[in-house]
Amino acid sequence: MEIPFAESYKIKMVEPVRKSTREQREQWLKEAHYNVFQLKAEQVYIDLLTDSGTGAMSDRQWAAMMLGDESYAGATSFYKMKDTITQITGFEYVLPTHQGRAAENVLFSVLLKEGDRVPGNSHFDTTKGHIESRRAFAIDCTVDIAKDTQLEAPFKGNVDIAKLEKELAENHAIIPFVIVTVTNNTAGGQPVSMRNLREVAALSKKFNKKVVFDSARFAENAYFIKMREEGYKDKSIKEICREMFQYADAMTMSAKKDAIVNMGGFIATNRQDWYDAAKVKGIVYEGYLTYGGMNGRDMNALAVGLEENTEFETLETRIKQVEYLAQKLDEYGIPYQRPAGGHAIFVDAPKTLTHVPKEEFPAQMLTIELYLEAGIRGCEIGYLLADRDPITRENRFDGLDLLRLAIPRRVYTNNHIDVVAAALKNVFDRRESVTHGVKIVWEAELMRHFTVELEPIG
Ligand code: F0G
């Protein structure tokens, strides 16, 4: 008999999860204005809102926390973190920040000005927020195949080189840099190939433009390169990461994902001019250069987390769990962004709730239905998250409308995944009866999905 696959860890500490009744959930959701961000965590049974800061640290990470150096300046913890980052990425200058968006804020404060254009592959919402709040424009140059959720392709996160070239040729004077998000979260946790990274770097160089990687899930991206791209199957994840970062001038990092810490982030680069400019902003917004919004103990945990999560077995365990959920959905015929992404499954809401018009936010409605069904909290990555066009103020309905089921690292077992799949099947089976969605009662001007207040229609 073939020995089955099992996790690359065993469990040493546990936390109870809470069930609830449908009546309770109906009441709670109403109180939360039909926005799952406004639910209390204790009202959630299985929380797939995000994989960000929700992972379980290892015993080695907890041990490293005890050795944290909390010195204001020059802490050993900073140097441990910096040395690990340098080893993995090749970047010598490291500026800590309290999380990924803070890294964006600090770096973009020095690189961006009003009217600029920043091409990239499906900028994440905070990235887009930090661009648009500076009255600059995020130009999406993702490959078109990313929009076809049913198409199987290995690298649906890629930048469309022709689109990028056109944008660079037409607007090079107002493009300060190109940004590549690895993996491409918004397009479904889809990876970017090494070949694509290489081509983006070459094209940007031709136009004398720098490249920044939004690196939140770079290790998962490296895993996919190893598994799917010719020439990489015998390379280690760390070798692949080193090569990936050769094609970037700088990185912003949300360490809450692939460094498996609950809070933290950084900027890293080999450009001294960028570092020198950014460090001034870093001190103003985040804190002194050797802690930037992080505790010494957190920097220690980050160093260990990065080291662990750039090992093949750790990534394999994680991504196989995401694939496990995908296999269940295949069994039930539920449409999702194919193939399974690195950190999440993204259910195609308009293909599921076919009777809910786009103006009534199908993915949000699916999020609501799944919560009501079994207390599972997913997250809308769709028309609400897309915000309004900054100029016309119209809703942006041109992208995908997805329910994201993000799987925290090392937190749930496949039994929990079975519950998620069964609950989603129940919603799917009664999809014909869901004919209405929600309407917006109140919304913020930017990044509205976090705080939006909604009401069910009908
Ligand atoms: N870039 C990407 C690709 C992200 O996915 C995120 C966060 C950020 C930047 C910002 O990092 O949260 O540390 O400030 N994504 C989380 C998510 C929130 O749920 O996908 P942060």
Side-chain angles (χ1 to χ4, degrees), residues 49-52 99-102 104 124-127 181 183 185 214 216-217 254-257 264 343 381 404 450:
L49 182 70
T50 179
D51 64 323
S52 179
Q99 62 182 94
R101 69 199 69 185
E104 292 163 0
F124 184 66
D125 57 337
T126 60
T127 318
T181 305
T183 56
N185 181 2
D214 174 352
R217 300 177 184 85
S254 169
K256 300 168 73 171
K257 285 86 169 172
H343 67 296
I381 301 269
R404 185 182 75 171
F450 289 118

Side-chain angles (χ1 to χ4, degrees), residues 175-222:
I175 295 175
F177 59 92
V178 174
I179 191 155
V180 186
T181 305
V182 288
T183 56
N184 184 330
N185 181 2
T186 313
Q190 297 293 316
V192 180
S193 70
M194 191 72 88
R195 180 178 169 179
N196 193 245
L197 295 176
R198 203 177 295 131
E199 286 173 352
V200 168
L203 188 62
S204 303
K205 195 164 179 204
K206 189 173 132 193
F207 287 90
N208 203 17
K209 298 298 166 196
K210 302 296 174 227
V211 178
V212 176
F213 284 179
D214 174 352
S215 316
R217 300 177 184 85
F218 74 88
E220 290 171 3
N221 200 86

Side-chain angles (χ1 to χ4, degrees), residues 6-292:
E7 290 78 4
S8 63
Y9 53 80
K10 57 181 178 170
I11 297 165
K12 176 140 54 181
M13 191 187 279
V14 296
E15 176 187 343
V17 290
R18 302 157 213 87
K19 284 191 177 176
S20 53
T21 64
R22 188 173 173 111
E23 290 67 39
Q24 284 175 315
R25 293 193 289 276
E26 280 171 4
Q27 180 61 28
W28 292 334
L29 198 59
K30 193 168 171 209
E31 287 164 8
H33 303 282
Y34 298 89
N35 178 348
V36 293
F37 280 98
Q38 291 181 38
L39 288 170
K40 292 184 177 140
E42 66 209 42
Q43 298 168 340
V44 175
Y45 175 33
I46 298 174
D47 203 350
L48 306 187
L49 182 70
T50 179
D51 64 323
S52 179
T54 53
M57 291 206 296
S58 68
D59 53 354
R60 291 176 59 228
Q61 283 180 288
W62 281 107
M65 299 259 312
M66 298 306 290
L67 300 175
D69 176 354
E70 305 303 340
S71 304
Y72 189 97
T76 56
S77 300
F78 169 74
Y79 290 102
K80 269 187 208 157
M81 179 179 86
K82 176 179 171 295
D83 288 348
T84 307
I85 294 167
T86 304
Q87 267 171 29
I88 290 170
T89 66
F91 291 132
E92 296 288 339
Y93 298 105
V94 173
L95 199 58
T97 61
H98 78 274
Q99 62 182 94
R101 69 199 69 185
E104 292 163 0
N105 186 34
V106 168
L107 189 65
F108 294 0
S109 291
V110 299
L111 298 183
L112 264 186
K113 59 181 188 326
E114 189 173 334
D116 280 349
R117 294 166 70 90
V118 184
N121 55 339
S122 324
H123 313 63
F124 184 66
D125 57 337
T126 60
T127 318
K128 185 158 61 83
H130 277 299
I131 294 170
E132 291 179 353
S133 65
R134 288 175 172 81
R135 298 190 190 286
F137 301 93
I139 310 300
D140 188 7
C141 298
T142 310
V143 287
D144 287 332
I145 55 167
K147 284 196 181 173
D148 180 355
T149 58
Q150 299 313 290
L151 185 108
E152 289 276 348
F155 293 103
K156 283 166 96 175
N158 278 356
V159 176
D160 186 317
I161 297 297
K163 284 188 204 169
L164 179 63
E165 182 154 26
K166 185 167 182 287
E167 175 62 25
L168 284 166
E170 286 172 4
N171 296 304
H172 54 89
I174 48 171
I175 295 175
F177 59 92
V178 174
I179 191 155
V180 186
T181 305
V182 288
T183 56
N184 184 330
N185 181 2
T186 313
Q190 297 293 316
V192 180
S193 70
M194 191 72 88
R195 180 178 169 179
N196 193 245
L197 295 176
R198 203 177 295 131
E199 286 173 352
V200 168
L203 188 62
S204 303
K205 195 164 179 204
K206 189 173 132 193
F207 287 90
N208 203 17
K209 298 298 166 196
K210 302 296 174 227
V211 178
V212 176
F213 284 179
D214 174 352
S215 316
R217 300 177 184 85
F218 74 88
E220 290 171 3
N221 200 86
Y223 174 90
F224 285 119
I225 289 175
K226 182 176 168 76
M227 303 306 282
R228 295 182 184 171
E229 192 162 352
E230 216 187 303
Y232 290 93
K233 81 173 188 322
D234 296 325
K235 291 211 157 56
S236 71
I237 297 292
K238 286 190 170 68
E239 284 169 333
I240 295 171
C241 291
R242 260 315 255 269
E243 185 182 339
M244 283 168 60
F245 286 109
Q246 276 175 23
Y247 304 123
D249 295 281
M251 67 188 285
T252 54
M253 176 76 186
S254 169
K256 300 168 73 171
K257 285 86 169 172
D258 270 357
I260 323 190
V261 287
N262 303 116
M263 193 54 71
F266 57 86
I267 298 165
T269 182
N270 277 331
R271 292 190 61 96
Q272 197 188 340
D273 54 340
W274 282 11
Y275 174 73
D276 284 341
K279 72 186 181 190
V280 181
K281 300 288 180 189
I283 291 173
V284 175
Y285 295 138
E286 294 295 302
Y288 184 64
L289 305 179
T290 57
Y291 74 86

